[in-house]
Amino acid sequence: MTSVTADTTVVKALKKIRQPQKQRNREFWLLLFACAISGFALTLVQLGALDRIDPMILVIGGGLAVLVFALHIVLRVVASDADPFVLPIATLLTGLGIAMIYRLDIAEKFIGWAAYSNKQLVWTAISIALAIALVIALRNYRVLYRYTYIFGLAGLVLLILPFIPGLRIADANAQVWVSVGGLFSFQPGELAKICLAIFFAGYLVRTRESLATVGKKFLGITWPRMRDLGPVIVVWALSLGIIVIQRDLGTGMLIFGMFIAMLYVATGKTSWVLIGLAGVAIGVFLAAQVLSYVQGRFSAWLHAFDPALIESLGGSYQLVQGIFGLAHGGLIGTGWGQGRPDITPLAHSDFIIPSLGEELGIVGLFAILCLYMVFVSRGIRIGLAGQDDFGKLLAIGLSFTIALQVFIMVGGVTRVIPLTGLTTPFLAAGGSSLVANWLIVALLLRISDGVRRQPRVVIG
């Protein structure tokens, strides 16, 4: 009997190897397309800014291609049923970001380790290597559910790190950076949002029944009991603490928004969304009344073109320069290497969207936003396709984090909302942000593979 079972297992394994991996084959061609577009962008940058092709393009473009195809090969072996669109979209966004950062390095005449594009390529290598390690190590994403409260504690510790003597960077505008031995610095809050997403997913799975079924109906909406508002108040206070103590408006809004979105998915109650919006309004009002830096953000937002505000220290000069850059690009842009995005301060990080908009135009910027839209929709689709609540909440929470971060950044640089200190996912220069975003990619790939492997229940 044991021999028959062993033979059957071997036969099944051989059949699986011989079966064509349709998802991975689709991903392969999409990756080729993404790498080709990234290489084409780098070529146009050199032709536009240097009037020649420098061999450095082989290092930048080829390095990115080798890294992502290494992850693709790993997926063929250990996660053959993973979503085929997530990795190519992340690759294309990262490649376009590197091309824009490289273009700014040329304008500023940065070379060697002083060039942000070289640093970005190194961080890309580290990020994809960590994503590969996570895909290999995390064979079953449901294991994370066991460590719900450990991840919650880890998220809080990461948020506290910038206040530890010896780690904090004293002269930073916001207390969100830590320095390790003076060798490199990173934002622990970027990793904290992943830990808190796992914690929120596990916590809401455990408490969703009481949060969803109990309450009083008023105006056609079921409102929760006061005792059930405890988690929302705690997360609201945590987010407000980040805004007040760390002077980080963006991360506070991101964490609270992510929790409310996951809470709505877990319970299906509109009242939680309304309570969340009310909490945001109250928090922003209090912060604007008490904190001078929040007042400055609102003044720069409402009176951006006031000459006195433009010329003042910490005023709206950066915002106005970014808007002028977008206006200069117009509908189709100036072309790679033909604009002046380097005039805007922090054009490689906080204001990389106006930099891309100037040289690619509104059409190119809209195409980039469409890539984000497809990425988020695939993440939500991964969550909705799953049969376990934890995977559903985690996938949707991570996807919503990317969507909210893009909205906050694009809305800030276009004067839809006040500016915050977040970075644009995958595009902007910054190691900690890039690492966190590629870890999100790895988690979505693992969840999608696990969802597709789940046995389907056939009724009837």
Side-chain angles (χ1 to χ4, degrees), residues 5 45 58 61-62 73 77 80 100 111 176 189 195 201 214 234 253 265 269 283 314 456:
T5 304
V45 164
L58 299 177
I73 293 172
V77 177
S80 58
M100 190 68 246
I111 59 174
V176 295
C195 293
V214 181
V234 170
M253 293 174 59
V265 173
K269 294 173 67 173
R456 300 294 176 183

Side-chain angles (χ1 to χ4, degrees), residues 207-217 221-229 267 269 271-272 275:
T207 60
R208 61 177 300 176
E209 292 299 327
S210 61
L211 295 175
T213 59
V214 181
K216 295 182 178 180
K217 199 165 186 178
I221 299 176
T222 303
W223 299 88
R225 300 173 301 179
M226 288 301 297
R227 71 182 71 172
D228 296 325
L229 291 176
T267 62
K269 294 173 67 173
S271 57
W272 288 116
I275 291 172

Side-chain angles (χ1 to χ4, degrees), residues 2 33 64 78 82 91 105 113 129 142 156 202 207 227 236 260 281 304 311 320 352 361 364 383 390 399 406 424 454:
T2 304
F33 178 75
L64 177 63
V78 302
T91 299
D105 285 338
W113 190 242
R142 299 173 190 84
L156 293 177
T207 60
R227 71 182 71 172
W236 179 79
I260 293 299
E311 296 174 2
V320 170
I352 198 168
F390 176 74
S399 303
V406 172
T424 309
Q454 288 177 356

Side-chain angles (χ1 to χ4, degrees), residues 160-207:
I160 295 173
L161 282 182
F163 298 99
I164 298 178
L167 292 178
R168 62 181 296 179
I169 299 178
D171 57 347
N173 292 329
Q175 300 297 330
V176 295
W177 291 90
V178 298
S179 178
V180 180
L183 299 176
F184 68 94
S185 58
F186 72 99
Q187 289 181 272
E190 292 288 344
L191 299 178
K193 68 184 181 184
I194 299 178
C195 293
L196 291 177
I198 297 173
F199 167 70
F200 291 156
Y203 173 80
L204 290 173
V205 167
R206 289 175 167 86
T207 60

Side-chain angles (χ1 to χ4, degrees), residues 101-145:
I101 296 168
Y102 177 54
R103 184 265 176 277
L104 293 166
D105 285 338
I106 293 176
E108 299 288 350
K109 295 182 173 56
F110 291 152
I111 59 174
W113 190 242
Y116 288 102
S117 56
N118 292 335
K119 296 177 183 177
Q120 189 75 350
L121 188 60
V122 171
W123 278 112
T124 301
I126 295 173
S127 302
I128 299 178
L130 291 174
I132 292 174
L134 182 59
V135 168
I136 295 175
L138 189 65
R139 294 303 180 96
N140 186 354
Y141 69 87
R142 299 173 190 84
V143 173
L144 301 175
Y145 179 71

